[in-house]
Amino acid sequence: LKISNVSQGKKFTTVLRLSQKILKEYDLCDHCLGRLFAKRLGLASNKTLGQKIHKALKKKNTKCHICKNIFDSLQHHLVKILDVSSDYDFKTFLVGAKLKPSILDRDDHIRSQFKLRGIDSIKTSITRELVKQFAQKTKKKHQQLDPDLTLTVDFKTESYDIQSRAIFVSGRYVKNMRNIPQKQKPCSNCLGKGCLACSRHGISEFDSIEGMISRYLFEKFVAVQVKITWIGGEDSTSLVLGSGRPFFAKMTNPKKRSPKLPKKIKADKITLRSLKQISRIPAGPMQFVSKTKLLVTTENSIRQEDLTKLDQLRKSTIAIYENSGKRTEKSIHAICHKINSENSFYLFMRIDGGVPLKRFVAGDNVFPNISDVISNKSKCDTFDFEEIGIVN
């Protein structure tokens, strides 16, 4: 460290005078002493400047009044965060610190007492040193905004928190078997929050579409939790065919960031297709159109001429009323039908997503509806999805 030109020399002389006043009252380590004046002198190394000041004033570097020589323990904490991060894939990182309030108070008091402004805080100085050493060891890049990995060192409790940036995927699932529910019941112990009993997953069983997708993603990304955003839904008895139902998933705290994802994946009783990483989940509800097949049973026997009345629904709009008073409109793009038995028929439709199909058949606050159009009280026994397309 060289203080060469005249201007810098004068500044350094002023720094020495003030340092002498400070050191008369407080013992400071090289890091904390240098930090008080590094920006004033335009220097990068707090420690080197502190050493130079101590040497010039012939002062010994004893136990620091501000940090209690916390910088001497940084190597110990570095080893710890290297250990806790060793299982994680990451390219960028951020290090944070939690300090005892007394350290922060002593730092604030000295800066206020000696009217020292525009100085990095003790916390900034500690984290900067940890960042420098961690980057050297891992060859990874420090990044303030949205890093892959965020490490927090708690100097109060000597504990270490690690958070990996969430990963998002999109995909589709095909369901060729009946009696599989879409959503999984939460862990009975924590009600979905995550606990030791469910390995922090929030679910402890994997016998639903959600459970089967989650288990695959848990294993592939070594994630803690998976949150799925559904594009529509179906009954447990429904089939989902064709290219499958689209969905999005968010993986919390994943250890693996770039696992290979096959185009077609057998995940227990379902098949996953087109699984790929995306930058984020689209905001707001997504519009989609479904090609559906319904098995409808009727109270009275059905005739072909009755079913012909359903043709009037082609390219029509239906109104859906909720108990809350909310009203939504959906379109029927295509419709056809086929008698199955005296009291049942198949109904094939291409219809906007979000239509409550059982209510549409029964006439439960949906107008027009199947029961009214054919003047025969009807019930939807099963409904399957033959294709689902997202509307761009």
Side-chain angles (χ1 to χ4, degrees):
L1 177 74
K2 293 183 179 180
I3 309 293
S4 54
N5 61 49
V6 175
S7 175
Q8 284 290 84
K10 287 181 179 178
K11 286 182 180 179
F12 187 62
T13 301
T14 304
V15 164
L16 285 178
R17 288 198 201 99
L18 186 50
S19 296
Q20 194 163 30
K21 289 182 182 179
I22 295 170
L23 293 175
K24 266 187 178 181
E25 295 191 45
Y26 308 102
D27 288 330
L28 300 181
C29 67
D30 292 331
H31 287 277
C32 285
L33 180 59
R35 174 172 56 87
L36 300 180
F37 305 105
K39 282 193 173 181
R40 182 183 297 192
L41 296 174
L43 301 174
S45 174
N46 297 340
K47 182 181 180 181
T48 306
L49 176 58
Q51 288 172 339
K52 184 173 181 65
I53 295 171
H54 275 120
K55 185 177 180 181
L57 295 175
K58 298 180 181 179
K59 292 282 187 178
K60 287 185 178 180
N61 184 358
T62 56
K63 189 166 185 179
C64 183
H65 171 76
I66 295 176
C67 74
K68 304 302 181 184
N69 291 28
I70 201 170
F71 286 91
D72 293 343
S73 69
L74 291 193
Q75 185 61 34
H76 164 76
H77 295 294
L78 175 66
V79 170
K80 292 290 187 180
I81 60 175
L82 286 169
D83 181 54
V84 298
S85 64
S86 61
D87 290 338
Y88 287 80
D89 291 340
F90 65 101
K91 293 180 180 178
T92 59
F93 71 93
L94 177 66
V95 175
K98 292 181 179 179
L99 303 178
K100 292 179 180 178
S102 57
I103 293 178
L104 302 175
D105 290 342
R106 290 191 295 270
D107 187 38
D108 288 342
H109 177 75
I110 287 180
R111 288 193 289 170
S112 174
Q113 181 181 346
F114 294 96
K115 296 181 174 57
L116 298 167
R117 296 183 177 84
I119 293 166
D120 287 339
S121 69
I122 179 68
K123 182 186 285 190
T124 298
S125 184
I126 289 170
T127 54
R128 183 179 291 141
E129 192 63 30
L130 279 172
V131 162
K132 182 175 72 173
Q133 294 183 32
F134 189 78
Q136 288 173 348
K137 290 288 186 181
T138 60
K139 309 301 180 188
K140 308 297 183 183
K141 183 181 177 183
H142 173 245
Q143 182 172 298
Q144 289 278 355
L145 186 63
D146 211 19
D148 292 340
L149 210 61
T150 300
L151 297 143
T152 304
V153 180
D154 191 332
F155 287 87
K156 296 183 292 182
T157 60
E158 286 213 15
S159 59
Y160 309 88
D161 181 66
I162 184 166
Q163 293 294 323
S164 175
R165 178 168 53 84
I167 289 176
F168 305 97
V169 299
S170 65
R172 289 173 175 261
Y173 67 85
V174 175
K175 174 186 167 189
N176 288 304
M177 298 175 62
R178 301 194 187 278
N179 300 314
I180 304 174
Q182 186 184 43
K183 297 180 182 178
Q184 188 69 51
K185 291 181 179 178
C187 168
S188 58
N189 187 56
C190 65
L191 302 179
K193 292 180 180 179
C195 64
L196 291 176
C198 62
S199 302
R200 306 290 179 192
H201 292 331
I203 57 176
S204 53
E205 303 293 334
F206 302 92
D207 54 3
S208 65
I209 302 295
E210 181 178 14
M212 294 171 197
I213 294 173
S214 295
R215 180 158 55 187
Y216 178 81
L217 295 176
F218 286 148
E219 294 172 357
K220 203 69 177 174
F221 289 89
V222 195
V224 175
Q225 288 194 346
V226 173
K227 183 178 180 181
I228 298 177
T229 299
W230 305 101
I231 308 300
E234 72 271 353
D235 274 8
S236 60
T237 58
S238 301
L239 302 180
V240 181
L241 308 172
S243 58
R245 181 179 297 284
F247 69 91
F248 299 100
K250 174 185 177 181
M251 270 79 71
T252 302
N253 212 22
K255 289 186 176 180
K256 304 300 178 186
R257 303 203 71 83
S258 304
K260 187 175 180 181
L261 298 172
K263 291 184 178 180
K264 186 177 179 181
I265 302 156
K266 187 67 178 174
D268 203 342
K269 298 175 182 178
I270 63 171
T271 301
L272 301 180
R273 294 177 179 269
S274 307
L275 201 62
K276 63 179 180 180
Q277 287 197 39
I278 55 176
S279 59
R280 60 182 178 83
I281 294 175
M286 296 198 71
Q287 303 299 315
F288 62 100
V289 174
S290 302
K291 186 179 177 184
T292 60
K293 176 185 177 182
L294 287 67
L295 176 58
V296 179
T297 56
T298 58
E299 189 174 81
N300 302 312
S301 56
I302 190 75
R303 299 172 302 171
Q304 185 60 49
E305 50 264 41
D306 297 324
L307 294 185
T308 304
K309 298 174 184 177
L310 294 173
D311 294 342
Q312 65 185 273
L313 295 175
R314 186 179 295 115
K315 295 186 178 180
S316 66
T317 299
I318 58 176
I320 303 161
Y321 295 89
E322 307 297 341
N323 291 334
S324 62
K326 181 182 177 183
R327 180 183 186 274
T328 56
E329 291 187 351
K330 301 289 182 179
S331 295
I332 299 175
H333 303 282
I335 189 168
C336 59
H337 32 77
K338 178 184 176 183
I339 289 179
N340 179 58
S341 69
E342 184 179 351
N343 288 86
S344 69
F345 65 95
Y346 287 110
L347 183 64
F348 305 90
M349 294 187 295
R350 187 169 174 270
I351 193 168
D352 283 349
V355 174
L357 294 172
K358 288 189 172 182
R359 288 171 54 194
F360 171 59
V361 171
D364 182 10
N365 288 331
V366 180
F367 305 97
N369 57 72
I370 301 302
S371 293
D372 287 348
V373 171
I374 65 174
S375 301
N376 194 344
K377 190 173 182 181
S378 304
K379 182 181 76 167
C380 178
D381 283 355
T382 61
F383 59 93
D384 299 329
F385 294 88
E386 298 182 330
E387 193 59 70
I388 301 166
I390 293 175
V391 179
N392 295 322

